């Protein structure tokens, strides 16, 4: 054809330039997302472990990895909401064990799961309500309040159980064990619950007024209050959500382990906060995603699993997690400084 091989006109050149700029902007946006790099790190770690060991990529090990990180991931979803609002919740591990003791004790006394599980969730929500009221309405610092309820909730769990292991769950024992330790379509039930919660909370973050208010409070609480955002109620809601996630996880963990003691969830608060922060939640508030919380929890579990498979002492896990937290916060700080400059 006569037109073939001719140079493109000015309009074509302009379209190409605009297309290249849009492509460049998209790549730059992706490269600026902490969640992307954490996801990439998790993928690379999985590939390296699959090549370095014969056991990582086995069906059984991958099943264990996904099930184990689901427990941390569920609580990390609630923690992400709290951190995004500018708060912190150190009581999640104790809330988890309180719910576990309540569901175990109620079922040991002969109550069905359909009664014991709501009781456990209610006990967890009471801790969240106490946190939310003292922080949002009384104005106490989140660190102080949740540090106090950390001790309070675990102490209540010890009192309720007389500090004894509970492992007999009455007539609905098989149902409880199936809930926490069973599978559906070959996928561990806690993983399916994690996916469902991540989708629901993710939609709430992105598409609801509550989500917009939540991030507005974390970004600038005073400005949010001046624009009519119900700051106190939103703050209360995030602590209730976090407590709900911890309580639900407590029930699931009891079903998985087949028993509950008062050391359940001990030290879990650090792992959960790490998962949220590694996944992109800013400790200063104003940012966080459910996908990031899930990926952060997955990366931590992959690290823990890799240490075991490679014969390295699991005592090193804290070093890796602590390093990831510092690096994640440092990167976010540098990104903030660059934006202000």
């Amino acid at each position: 054809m006569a037109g073939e091989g001719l140079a493109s006109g000015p309009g074509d050149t302009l379209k190409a330039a605009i297309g290249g700029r849009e492509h460049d902007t998209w790549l730059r946006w992706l490269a600026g997302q902490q969640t992307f790099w954490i996801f990439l790190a998790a993928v690379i770690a999985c590939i390296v472990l699959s090549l370095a060991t014969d056991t990582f990529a086995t069906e059984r090990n991958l099943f264990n990895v996904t099930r184990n990180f689901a427990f941390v991931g569920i609580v990390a979803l609630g923690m992400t909401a709290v951190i995004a609002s500018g708060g912190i919740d150190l009581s999640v591990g104790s809330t988890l064990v309180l719910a576990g003791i309540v569901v175990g004790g109620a079922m040991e006394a002969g109550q069905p799961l359909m009664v014991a599980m709501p009781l456990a969730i209610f006990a967890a929500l009471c801790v969240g309500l106490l946190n939310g009221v003292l922080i949002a309405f009384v104005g106490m610092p989140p660190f102080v309040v949740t540090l106090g309820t950390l001790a309070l909730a675990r102490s209540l769990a010890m009192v309720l159980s007389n500090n004894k292991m509970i492992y007999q769950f009455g007539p609905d024992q098989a149902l409880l064990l199936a809930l926490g330790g069973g599978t559906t379509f070959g996928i561990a039930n806690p993983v399916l619950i994690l996916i469902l919660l991540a989708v629901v909370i993710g939609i709430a973050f992105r598409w609801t007024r509550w989500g917009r208010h939540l991030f507005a409070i974390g970004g600038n609480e005073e400005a949010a209050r001046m624009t009519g955002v119900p700051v106190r109620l939103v703050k209360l809601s995030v602590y209730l959500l976090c407590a709900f996630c911890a309580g639900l996880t407590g029930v699931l963990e009891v079903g998985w382990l087949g028993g509950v003691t008062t050391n359940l969830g001990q030290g879990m608060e650090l792992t959960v906060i790490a998962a949220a922060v590694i996944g992109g939640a800013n400790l200063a508030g104003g940012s966080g995603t459910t996908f990031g919380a899930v990926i952060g929890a997955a990366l931590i579990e992959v690290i823990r699993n890799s240490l075991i498979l490679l014969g390295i002492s699991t005592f090193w896990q804290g070093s890796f997690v602590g390093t990831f937290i510092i690096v994640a916060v440092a990167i976010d700080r540098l990104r903030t400084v660059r934006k202000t400059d």
Side-chain angles (χ1 to χ4, degrees):
M1 299 292 290
E4 289 181 354
L6 296 178
S8 58
D12 294 332
T13 304
L14 181 60
K15 289 180 180 178
I18 294 174
R21 180 58 183 269
E22 288 178 347
H23 183 65
D24 176 68
T25 303
W26 180 81
L27 289 176
R28 186 174 298 177
W29 174 84
L30 186 62
Q33 300 302 305
Q34 182 174 317
T35 306
F36 168 74
W37 294 107
I38 296 302
F39 176 74
L40 188 62
V43 171
I44 292 173
C46 290
I47 294 174
V48 171
L49 286 170
S50 299
L51 297 175
T53 68
D54 297 328
T55 51
F56 179 81
T58 60
E59 181 180 351
R60 185 61 187 172
N61 187 64
L62 291 176
F63 176 84
N64 288 334
V65 168
T66 55
R67 180 193 57 197
N68 292 344
F69 90 72
F71 298 122
V72 175
I74 292 172
V75 187
L77 293 175
M79 185 64 74
T80 297
V82 170
I83 292 176
S85 73
I88 198 75
D89 190 348
L90 303 177
S91 67
V92 288
S94 298
T95 304
L96 184 151
V97 72
L98 178 61
I101 290 295
V102 169
V103 73
M107 293 185 70
E108 186 183 44
Q111 295 296 329
L113 179 62
M114 295 301 292
V115 172
M117 187 171 176
L119 284 176
I121 300 298
F122 175 75
L125 288 174
C126 286
V127 179
L129 180 64
L130 180 60
N131 287 337
V133 168
L134 293 178
I135 293 167
F137 290 89
V138 181
M140 296 177 65
F143 183 90
V144 175
V145 171
T146 58
L147 184 63
T149 51
L150 177 153
L152 175 62
R154 192 167 294 276
S155 177
L156 287 175
M158 291 180 178
V159 171
L160 290 174
S161 65
N162 200 23
N163 204 26
K164 293 181 179 178
M165 180 178 183
I166 301 173
Y167 58 91
Q168 295 179 337
F169 302 117
D172 275 358
Q173 176 162 327
L175 190 58
L176 176 64
L177 299 183
L179 178 65
T183 63
T184 302
F185 306 116
I187 303 174
N189 289 333
V191 176
L192 295 176
I193 293 173
L194 169 63
I195 294 171
L196 177 62
L197 280 176
V199 170
V200 172
I201 296 175
I203 291 173
F205 279 175
R206 179 77 176 178
W207 303 109
T208 68
R209 181 179 298 178
W210 174 81
R212 292 192 295 272
H213 288 172
L214 167 64
F215 289 103
I217 292 170
N220 190 324
E221 182 175 330
E222 189 57 34
R225 181 177 287 107
M226 292 177 65
T227 56
V229 173
V231 173
R232 290 178 175 177
L233 290 178
V234 174
K235 278 190 171 184
L236 175 62
S237 70
V238 297
Y239 286 97
L240 287 172
L241 173 63
C242 193
F244 169 80
C245 292
L248 177 61
T249 303
V251 174
L252 295 174
E253 283 211 35
V254 172
W256 169 52
L257 296 170
V260 55
T261 62
T262 51
N263 65 355
L264 182 68
Q266 202 159 28
M268 191 178 191
E269 50 279 344
L270 175 61
T271 305
V272 170
I273 293 171
V277 172
I278 290 170
N282 189 336
L283 285 170
S287 66
T289 65
T290 55
F291 180 70
V294 173
I295 293 301
L299 182 59
I300 291 174
E301 176 57 27
V302 168
I303 292 171
R304 189 196 69 82
N305 187 257
S306 66
L307 294 177
I308 296 173
L309 296 181
L310 296 174
I312 302 173
S313 172
T314 54
F315 295 153
W316 283 102
Q317 179 183 345
S319 299
F320 283 105
V321 172
T323 301
F324 273 118
I325 294 175
I326 294 172
V327 170
V329 173
I331 291 174
D332 185 76
R333 176 59 181 166
L334 290 173
R335 188 163 55 232
T336 303
V337 170
R338 286 183 63 184
K339 287 181 179 179
T340 55
D341 291 342

